[in-house]
Amino acid sequence: MEKSLRHHIIDLIRREVVPAVGCTEPVAVALCVAKATEILGCVPEKIELSLSGNIIKNAMGVGIPGTGMIGLPIAVALGALVGKSEYNLEVLRDVTPEAVEMGKQYIAGERIVISLAPDAPSNLHIDVTALAGGHSVRAIISGSHTNFILMEKDGILLYEKNESLDNEAAEAGSSDPELNMKMVYDFATTAPVEEISFILEAKKLNLAAAEHALAGKYGHCLGSTVLHFGEKFFGDTPVAHAIMLTSAACDARMGGAMVPVMSNSGSGNQGITATMPVVSYAMDINASEDTTVRALALSHLTSIYIKQSLGRLSALCGCVVASTGAASGLVYLMGGGYDQVCDAVKNMVANLTGMICDGAKPSCSMKISSGVSTAMMSAMLAMQGFAVTSAEGIISDDVDETVHNLTSIGRDSMQATDKLVLKIMTCK
C-alpha cells in the first residue's frame, strides 16, 4: 500500500476513533448548546432545540454521565451550565454534583423547549437557539457529532460550512479514501505497527470502562451477571469472557458512568463492540501486542468502512456494524487470512441484518452481547471453511457487494421502520 494512501487511512481512523464521555447523541446536543452559550456570553434564559428523529430516539432513555438522570433535558442544561465546546465529545467531563443540582433547577424553570425537526437534512441534525438579554445565538451541528455547519448571533452570520447538509460524512471531506474490504485488510496487516499502535488507547479506555462496571452497578448489570453467574450456563470460555467484558463496558456507558470510552464513527457502543471482543480474545490466547494492534485496527477500520455507506445514524443497530468488525479482528487473531475475513463478514451479514435500533439505553448491552456471540461464531465457522453462500438470502459472492446489501437495507429500506420506532417510543 502506497504511503500517501496509508496516511490518509490513518488520519481517517484518528478522526473516527476518539474518546467520548456518555452517549454521543445527547453529548452532541450538549456540545451544540455549549457552543451557543459560549457565543452568547452568559447562561441562556431560554434554549430552543430542533432535533432530527434519530437524535431524539438515541437520547430518550440513556443515562447522562455523573447525573443519575436520563434524557435530553439534563444534557441540555449541563451543556449550558458547565459544558466546554473545546472538549468535543467529552464536553460534560466537568460535571459535578453541584452542577447537577443547578441543572435540575434549570429544567424546573421550563427554560428548555425541544421539538422534532420533521424535514431535517440529515439523520444527525441539531439546531440550537440560545436566548438571553434580548440577544439570540443559533448553532447547528449536522452530518456528524462534532460537525458545526452554522453559527450566528442576532441574525449576523459568524460561521457557515459549505458542505451539503445531507452529507453524512461532512466532517471528513473529499480526501477520505473510499474503502473496500481488501484495502481494509491490507492496511491492517501491512501498515508499520508503530504507525497504528495508537489504537491501543481503545483497549485501555474500554477495558477500564468494563472494569468500572464490574465493580459497581450500572444499567442492567449484564456484564457482572455473566461474571458472577454465567459460568454455569456459558462455562469459563472465550465467548463468555468476550460477552462479559463487552457488555460491562456498555453497562457503564449506558448507565451514565463518568468514564470515557473510545468511540467509533460517532458511537461509543460501536467503539466498545469493535474493541472488547478482540481485546478479550487476545488476552485469552496471550496474543502479542503487535498482533493485538493489527486485530484492533482491522476491527475498527472494517466498522468505519461499513459506516461509510450506511451513514452515522440509521434504523440498523450499530452493533451489527461493529460486531462485524470484531469478527474480522477475531479471524486475524485465530490465524486466518483475507479469505477467512470475507467469509466471517458474510456470516455476520447473513445473521444480524435487520436488528433495529430503538435508541440508546441500558438494554443495548443485550444487543451487543448478541453481536459478540455471533462474531465469535462467524469467525469460528470461517476458520473451518464455512461461509453463507450467494444462494442464500442477501449474501453475494463479492464481500463488498454483500456489505452494500446490508447498508442499503439499513439506510434505505428501513426508513419506514425508523419512523415507526420513533412514533412508538414517543407515544408510550
Side-chain angles (χ1 to χ4, degrees):
M1 178 175 289
E2 64 179 62
K3 187 175 181 180
S4 61
L5 175 58
R6 189 173 78 240
H7 286 171
H8 278 308
I9 294 175
I10 289 172
D11 289 343
L12 174 62
I13 297 173
R14 284 189 176 276
R15 187 170 58 250
E16 297 288 9
V17 181
V18 296
V21 176
C23 176
T24 46
E25 277 69 60
V27 165
V29 173
L31 173 62
C32 199
V33 170
K35 175 63 77 173
T37 300
E38 289 163 2
I39 296 172
L40 188 63
C42 63
V43 174
E45 297 167 5
K46 187 175 184 180
I47 304 173
E48 299 172 347
L49 304 98
S50 180
L51 308 174
S52 59
N54 284 74
I55 290 290
I56 293 174
K57 180 179 74 174
N58 280 338
M60 286 180 61
V62 70
I64 306 303
T67 69
M69 301 172 68
I70 64 171
L72 276 169
I74 190 63
V76 171
L78 291 174
L81 294 169
V82 298
K84 292 182 181 178
S85 64
E86 65 192 79
Y87 293 166
N88 285 318
L89 293 181
E90 295 181 278
V91 60
L92 297 181
R93 74 185 189 198
D94 288 343
V95 168
T96 63
E98 293 76 20
V100 173
E101 289 306 311
M102 292 169 59
K104 291 177 180 178
Q105 294 174 21
Y106 194 93
I107 294 168
E110 298 183 349
R111 301 162 77 174
I112 300 170
V113 179
I114 299 171
S115 62
L116 173 67
D119 299 314
S122 167
N123 283 343
L124 198 168
H125 190 76
I126 303 163
D127 189 336
V128 171
T129 299
L131 305 105
H135 297 283
S136 69
V137 170
R138 188 182 183 200
I140 299 176
I141 285 175
S142 192
S144 65
H145 293 78
T146 60
N147 186 49
F148 283 96
I149 56 109
L150 183 140
M151 301 174 203
E152 62 181 27
K153 183 174 184 179
D154 296 329
I156 299 173
L157 187 67
L158 304 177
Y159 173 82
E160 186 174 25
K161 214 169 197 179
N162 293 324
E163 286 91 345
S164 171
L165 295 185
D166 63 359
N167 179 8
E168 294 288 350
E171 190 176 30
S174 60
S175 63
D176 282 346
E178 185 175 341
L179 299 172
N180 58 57
M181 201 63 232
K182 188 66 165 64
M183 189 187 303
V184 168
Y185 179 82
D186 287 347
F187 170 84
T189 57
T190 66
V193 170
E194 62 272 15
E195 292 185 9
I196 58 175
S197 60
F198 64 86
I199 202 71
L200 287 174
E201 186 68 13
K203 172 184 175 180
K204 175 184 174 183
L205 290 183
N206 294 343
L207 184 57
E211 291 170 344
H212 184 84
L214 293 174
K217 291 186 177 181
Y218 294 94
H220 294 297
C221 296
L222 178 56
S224 60
T225 299
V226 174
L227 173 64
H228 296 295
F229 305 106
E231 187 170 350
K232 174 181 176 181
F233 304 98
F234 295 112
D236 185 15
T237 64
V239 70
H241 303 159
I243 289 173
M244 180 262 294
L245 287 174
T246 309
S247 60
C250 180
D251 287 333
R253 180 172 178 268
M254 295 289 94
M258 183 58 84
V259 293
V261 301
M262 191 65 81
S263 66
N264 182 297
S265 302
S267 167
N269 281 350
Q270 286 171 196
I272 289 167
T273 308
T275 302
M276 291 314 299
V278 175
V279 167
S280 178
Y281 187 61
M283 292 192 299
D284 276 346
I285 65 172
N286 294 314
S288 70
E289 183 174 281
D290 286 2
T291 300
T292 303
V293 165
R294 294 197 183 280
L296 283 171
L298 179 57
S299 177
H300 277 276
L301 192 57
T302 298
S303 301
I304 293 168
Y305 160 48
I306 298 172
K307 293 293 285 188
Q308 278 189 332
S309 57
L310 178 63
R312 292 279 171 174
L313 299 176
S314 73
L316 185 70
C317 178
C319 91
V320 176
V321 174
S323 57
T324 301
S328 301
L330 290 169
V331 166
Y332 183 79
L333 289 173
M334 292 175 182
Y338 176 68
D339 290 341
Q340 287 76 35
V341 167
C342 293
D343 286 348
V345 170
K346 292 176 184 179
N347 292 340
M348 292 295 295
V349 173
N351 193 328
L352 290 183
T353 297
M355 182 184 285
I356 65 167
C357 171
D358 54 343
K361 58 208 175 302
S363 61
C364 285
S365 62
M366 289 188 277
K367 291 188 176 184
I368 282 174
S369 69
S370 297
V372 173
S373 59
T374 302
M376 188 67 77
M377 179 178 64
S378 296
M380 181 178 67
L381 283 171
M383 291 301 295
Q384 297 302 313
F386 296 109
V388 178
T389 69
S390 60
E392 304 171 71
I394 63 169
I395 305 306
S396 299
D397 288 326
D398 181 77
V399 67
D400 296 303
E401 188 175 323
T402 297
V403 167
H404 292 131
N405 293 343
L406 165 72
T407 59
S408 63
I409 289 172
R411 183 189 63 245
D412 302 324
S413 300
M414 293 178 71
Q415 286 188 14
T417 301
D418 212 20
K419 292 176 182 178
L420 180 57
V421 167
L422 180 63
K423 180 180 178 180
I424 291 170
M425 291 175 65
T426 55
C427 294
K428 288 189 293 184

